Amino acid sequence: MTRTKIKDALQLTPGGAITVKGWVRAYRSNRFVALNDGSSLANLQVVVDFENFDKSIIDQITVGSAISVTGDLVASQGAGQSVEVAATSVEILGTANPDEVAKTILQPKRHSLEFLREQAHLRFRTQTFSAVFRIRHAMAFAIHKYFNDNGFFYLHTPIITGSDAEGAGEMFKVTTLPLDNVPKDESGNIDYKEDFFGKETNLTVSGQLEAELGALALGQVYTFGPTFRAENSNTSRHLAEFWMIEPEVAFADLTDDMKLGEDFMQYVIKYALDNCKEDLEFLHNREVELDSKKPTAERNEMPLMDRLNFVVDNDFERITYTEAIQVLQNSKPFKKNQFKFPVEWGVDLASEHERFLVEKHFKKPVIIYNYPKEIKAFYMRNNDDGKTVAAMDVLFPGIGEIIGGSQREERYEELLKKCKDFDIPEEHVWWYLETRKFGTVPHAGFGLGFERLIMFVTGMTNIRDVIPFPRTPKNAEF
């Protein structure tokens, strides 16, 4: 008999025989099996009348084991589900030793997120992480759908690169040189001419510069791929390997960029609300329960579903960086010295400042634009005031900055000067500079960290819990 996914079985009306397969989440009274196959947050109850089955079969139905069940779909006698399966045959697909299960996160009880990370090979089977990764899939699909439906072309930018898009270093080197006998040149430096690519190469921190090349021919493109940063940070917001979404649009200015960022974010979050209801409700309730045990000051300003609807239901406020500084300096927290970080023109805003603007002052998502040029990247377009660049950040409740973008500097002489100001060798980005010689046009784009988006949509507070196998300092397990 053809297998029915549990998600589909739960929607059927009683009557007829079906076959389901999955892993045993719980087994009580040698009779009631909670079966889950990953297709749904909910389990399907299977009733196994042990008197009708050989004891050798019954003994192998344990938490963590995998089974195939054929039986009649009947109305459930218990609360919590409308249907259940009255088993007529059970096949053991994979056993699980109860003594071994007791040492793992498969044991049906609450486990800390830290313990779950230690067993990342098993955490997909928990309700929390199955919900997170189903939502992650839905968000990836929504992103591709949005850009496809809006006429963007998906561009695969290189993972191995000879340039540093941010000009900030902290990149992973890629080499085939023998580390126990590295070739040196006459000056005693590493001779990269002997390396595989004949030059120094790294894992990319961004596909933006290459995406600009695509946009300046195809009109509008986007990247969605892995990026890497060798930053020795163990915070809840940093990974060494993460995924970035980076659209680039020709014939677009900063205003167009802000409009795209707002439309895009509202679309993907609305997609989650419409298509991930069961998983979002579970994560919402989980967060509410955890918040109830925290001091009031540490609780979320808004619960998860409210935060998502907050983004979808509100137009994004647009203010300049200068105006944002003025608002912050006139605020009660600033006057009462309650901000931990300084608020003055020329410094980057901290998360506490961004969240104040979103959650307390404007009470809507905020886009801040026209930042001081000293705190932004070399490729951002200089404004006429000589002090700021056409940059923008999108700020959300509970998380602060979620998108960073800008109008790109399309003027050759200006870009050449900025490379010198940022100490970026011309020969490293000659190809990038040349695009400004042949039919240069205004263009703009932004970057969105995929894991940052998943943190916001799921309410998870540690970035290591929204990527299947986190890569962090001293951690490359699994």
Side-chain angles (χ1 to χ4, degrees):
M1 185 178 291
T2 302
R3 171 199 168 204
T4 300
K5 290 184 179 179
I6 286 175
K7 178 181 180 180
D8 298 328
L10 291 169
Q11 304 302 314
L12 297 175
T13 56
I18 65 169
T19 294
V20 291
K21 300 180 182 183
W23 295 272
V24 176
R25 281 265 178 89
Y27 185 31
R28 56 188 176 86
S29 305
N30 276 4
R31 180 175 173 82
F32 301 105
V33 176
L35 197 66
N36 190 281
D37 64 0
S39 64
S40 168
L41 181 74
N43 302 321
L44 176 65
Q45 180 163 285
V46 175
V47 182
V48 181
D49 190 341
F50 66 91
E51 293 180 352
N52 297 331
F53 291 89
D54 190 275
K55 186 176 184 301
S56 63
I57 294 291
I58 297 298
D59 289 346
Q60 293 181 80
I61 303 176
T62 60
V63 171
S65 63
I67 63 175
S68 174
V69 177
T70 297
D72 298 320
L73 189 68
V74 299
S76 177
Q77 301 303 308
Q81 65 277 321
S82 60
V83 294
E84 61 189 22
V85 175
T88 55
S89 70
V90 176
E91 179 186 356
I92 306 299
L93 303 178
T95 60
N97 186 305
D99 293 333
E100 292 297 318
V101 168
K103 302 173 186 176
T104 72
I105 59 177
L106 297 179
Q107 187 180 12
K109 69 173 187 177
R110 185 180 293 277
H111 302 284
S112 71
L113 292 176
E114 290 79 7
F115 186 37
L116 291 168
R117 280 181 220 125
E118 292 173 8
Q119 297 186 11
H121 58 306
L122 298 175
R123 67 177 181 167
F124 298 104
R125 291 212 213 165
T126 67
Q127 282 190 306
T128 296
F129 284 94
S130 65
V132 167
F133 291 116
R134 277 189 295 269
I135 291 172
R136 183 180 170 110
H137 158 77
M139 289 295 90
F141 177 80
I143 287 164
H144 285 298
K145 179 172 172 55
Y146 175 86
F147 287 123
N148 180 74
D149 291 353
N150 284 278
F152 284 72
F153 299 103
Y154 182 26
L155 195 69
H156 295 116
T157 52
I159 292 174
I160 299 173
T161 179
S163 66
D164 179 357
E166 300 295 333
E170 298 176 333
M171 301 177 76
F172 289 102
K173 294 187 183 302
V174 175
T175 182
T176 58
L177 294 175
L179 298 182
D180 57 350
N181 187 23
V182 178
K184 302 290 183 68
D185 60 22
E186 295 178 354
S187 302
N189 299 316
I190 296 174
D191 187 1
Y192 285 105
K193 292 180 180 179
E194 298 293 320
D195 208 349
F196 185 89
F197 292 105
K199 62 181 292 187
E200 185 175 359
T201 53
N202 308 283
L203 294 180
T204 187
V205 298
S206 170
Q208 178 204 311
L209 301 190
E210 292 87 354
E212 285 187 51
L213 311 188
L216 293 173
L218 299 172
Q220 48 188 30
V221 303
Y222 73 103
T223 76
F224 188 173
T227 52
F228 309 84
R229 192 179 293 277
E231 184 177 1
N232 190 16
S233 175
N234 273 301
T235 76
S236 62
R237 294 162 66 98
H238 290 91
L239 290 167
E241 176 184 290
F242 50 100
W243 288 67
M244 287 289 293
I245 300 101
E246 296 171 297
E248 290 291 329
V249 184
F251 314 109
D253 60 15
L254 184 62
T255 299
D256 298 318
D257 204 30
M258 291 189 285
K259 183 179 178 181
L260 175 65
E262 177 175 354
D263 189 59
F264 169 66
M265 292 306 295
Q266 288 186 325
Y267 175 89
V268 296
I269 291 170
K270 180 72 161 52
Y271 187 92
L273 288 167
D274 290 344
N275 294 277
C276 306
K277 292 179 181 178
E278 181 185 46
D279 289 325
L280 284 176
E281 287 173 1
F282 169 79
L283 293 170
H284 172 95
N285 293 333
R286 173 186 175 276
E287 181 183 273
V288 169
E289 180 185 353
L290 291 174
D291 269 2
S292 69
K293 300 174 183 178
K294 296 178 182 177
T296 302
E298 296 179 13
R299 296 175 185 173
N300 286 284
E301 190 74 20
M302 292 179 277
L304 176 59
M305 298 292 277
D306 289 2
R307 295 197 300 274
L308 300 181
N309 283 299
F310 178 89
V311 171
V312 171
D313 294 340
N314 286 291
D315 293 334
F316 292 14
E317 185 74 26
R318 288 161 169 73
I319 60 168
T320 67
Y321 170 88
T322 300
E323 291 169 338
I325 292 295
Q326 291 170 349
V327 169
L328 291 167
Q329 289 180 338
N330 289 325
S331 69
K332 287 183 179 179
F334 178 80
K335 293 177 179 178
K336 293 182 178 182
N337 295 316
Q338 292 175 344
F339 287 134
K340 294 180 181 178
F341 296 95
V343 179
E344 58 187 54
W345 203 96
V347 303
D348 213 352
L349 298 181
S351 180
E352 61 175 344
H353 307 139
E354 296 168 340
R355 291 186 60 183
F356 172 83
L357 293 169
V358 172
E359 299 166 19
K360 301 293 187 181
H361 187 79
F362 291 108
K363 300 186 186 305
K364 60 173 65 175
V366 174
I367 303 178
I368 299 178
Y369 64 98
N370 289 350
Y371 280 81
K373 62 182 181 180
E374 288 80 10
I375 62 175
K376 290 297 182 180
F378 82 98
Y379 49 74
M380 298 186 177
R381 194 182 199 277
N382 285 333
N383 288 324
D384 294 338
D385 60 14
K387 299 189 303 181
T388 63
V389 289
M392 67 96 175
D393 288 342
V394 179
L395 314 181
F396 273 12
I399 198 167
E401 180 196 340
I402 194 164
I403 277 179
S406 74
Q407 183 174 342
R408 313 313 190 187
E409 182 56 81
E410 86 281 8
R411 298 164 295 185
Y412 176 78
E413 294 297 336
E414 288 286 330
L415 185 58
L416 187 62
K417 183 178 182 300
K418 295 193 79 167
C419 286
K420 292 175 181 176
D421 291 342
F422 280 79
D423 198 27
I424 297 174
E426 200 175 323
E427 60 270 20
H428 286 188
V429 290
W430 65 267
W431 45 271
Y432 186 69
L433 288 164
E434 279 213 346
T435 60
R436 274 62 174 175
K437 292 181 179 180
F438 307 115
T440 187
V441 300
H443 59 287
F446 61 75
L448 167 66
F450 187 45
E451 284 71 32
R452 184 70 63 88
L453 172 63
I454 304 305
M455 286 178 70
F456 179 76
V457 174
T458 62
M460 302 301 285
T461 57
N462 194 311
I463 199 167
R464 302 177 194 199
D465 297 328
V466 296
I467 192 169
F469 304 104
R471 296 292 180 253
T472 54
K474 303 293 188 290
N475 179 30
E477 201 64 60
F478 308 106

